[in-house]
């Protein structure tokens, strides 16, 4: 089992969470767009939350600012988290706006607050698990979508709760975090999403 668990750290790496959230938004939201609109939406998400961060990662690695994509060192987390905050700001200001995609907007707004909290915690020498931030935020978003659109997703929600445990176990197995850091990360992702449910449910 210890050989399998690290796989979940890579499969549910935080860089994939924005895309996964968008996929569940398209599948569960009772709102329909044209194929061209869906294409533009996914292109925006892929470019801003995946391709640009990957490009920045290789640039920072070239200059020795980070070591691995897991960002295990506190000192290596500041620049990537700050860049992520900037990219999320661009996304919710210019692309995923409140007028165009209100539900998805609040998901990314919650992600912005979660990332900001994780960034500020670094100055207190606290390394919140970014993996758990992403997983807990995505789980709450799926629950919110199911409530808003009156869809029974009990099996999907149960599955993602189970995945939260697997990802947490994966981070422990890889010795990337302790239990406190996992809990802090879980709460950093959970609380902003819960707080913002009030505005879109």
């Amino acid at each position: 089992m210890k050989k399998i668990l690290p796989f979940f750290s890579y499969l549910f790496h935080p860089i994939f969470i924005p895309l996964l959230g968008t996929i569940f938004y398209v599948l569960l939201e009772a709102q329909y767009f044209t194929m061209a609109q869906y294409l533009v939406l996914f292109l925006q998400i892929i470019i801003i939350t995946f391709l640009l961060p990957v490009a920045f990662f290789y640039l920072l690695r070239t200059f020795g600012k980070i070591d691995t994509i897991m960002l295990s060192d506190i000192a290596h987390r500041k620049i990537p988290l700050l860049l992520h905050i900037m990219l999320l700001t661009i996304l919710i200001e210019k692309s995923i706006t409140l007028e165009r995609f209100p539900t998805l907007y609040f998901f990314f707004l919650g992600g912005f607050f979660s990332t900001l909290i994780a960034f500020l915690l670094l100055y207190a020498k606290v390394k919140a698990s970014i993996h758990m931030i992403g997983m807990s935020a995505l789980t709450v978003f799926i629950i919110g979508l199911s409530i808003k659109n009156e869809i029974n997703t009990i099996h999907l929600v149960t599955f993602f709760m189970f995945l939260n445990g697997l990802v947490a176990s994966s981070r422990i197995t890889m010795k990337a975090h302790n239990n406190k850091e996992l809990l802090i990360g879980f709460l950093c992702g959970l609380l902003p999403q819960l707080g913002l449910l009030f505005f879109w449910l």
Side-chain angles (χ1 to χ4, degrees), residues 80-201:
L81 285 178
L82 187 59
L83 287 171
H84 189 59
I85 290 170
M86 294 170 61
L87 290 173
L88 285 177
T89 301
I90 293 170
L91 190 67
I92 61 180
E93 286 289 328
K94 302 297 183 182
S95 301
I96 312 300
T97 62
L98 184 59
E99 294 76 21
R100 293 178 187 170
F101 307 98
T103 303
L104 195 59
Y105 168 85
F106 284 111
F107 172 64
F108 284 108
L109 183 61
F112 168 84
F113 286 125
S114 294
T115 308
L116 181 61
I117 293 169
F119 177 75
L120 294 175
L121 285 173
L122 294 177
Y123 290 93
K125 304 298 181 184
V126 176
K127 187 177 71 169
S129 171
I130 304 173
H131 279 76
M132 294 311 298
I133 289 176
M135 289 302 296
S136 61
L138 182 59
T139 304
V140 173
F141 185 57
I142 292 172
I143 293 171
L145 283 171
S146 64
I147 295 172
K148 178 177 182 287
N149 298 292
E150 299 181 351
I151 301 171
N152 185 359
T153 58
I154 185 66
H155 297 298
L156 180 63
V157 171
T158 303
F159 176 66
F160 264 88
M161 288 181 174
F162 178 64
L163 284 178
N164 273 265
L166 282 178
V167 172
S169 298
S170 172
R171 305 308 288 153
I172 291 290
T173 300
M174 296 178 73
K175 298 180 179 178
H177 291 286
N178 56 38
N179 290 332
K180 179 182 177 181
E181 292 167 347
L182 291 172
L183 178 60
I184 292 172
F186 182 83
L187 292 175
C188 283
L190 179 81
L191 296 178
Q193 294 293 334
L194 280 178
L196 289 171
L197 284 179
F198 173 79
F199 296 98
W200 62 273
L201 278 186

Side-chain angles (χ1 to χ4, degrees), residues 69-87:
I69 199 168
M70 293 300 174
L71 302 176
S72 55
D73 194 314
I74 286 183
H76 294 169
R77 289 178 161 228
K78 290 183 179 179
I79 296 177
L81 285 178
L82 187 59
L83 287 171
H84 189 59
I85 290 170
M86 294 170 61
L87 290 173

Side-chain angles (χ1 to χ4, degrees), residues 7 13 23 40-41 97 115 166 177:
F7 169 74
H13 189 278
I23 289 172
V40 170
L41 173 63
T97 62
T115 308
L166 282 178
H177 291 286

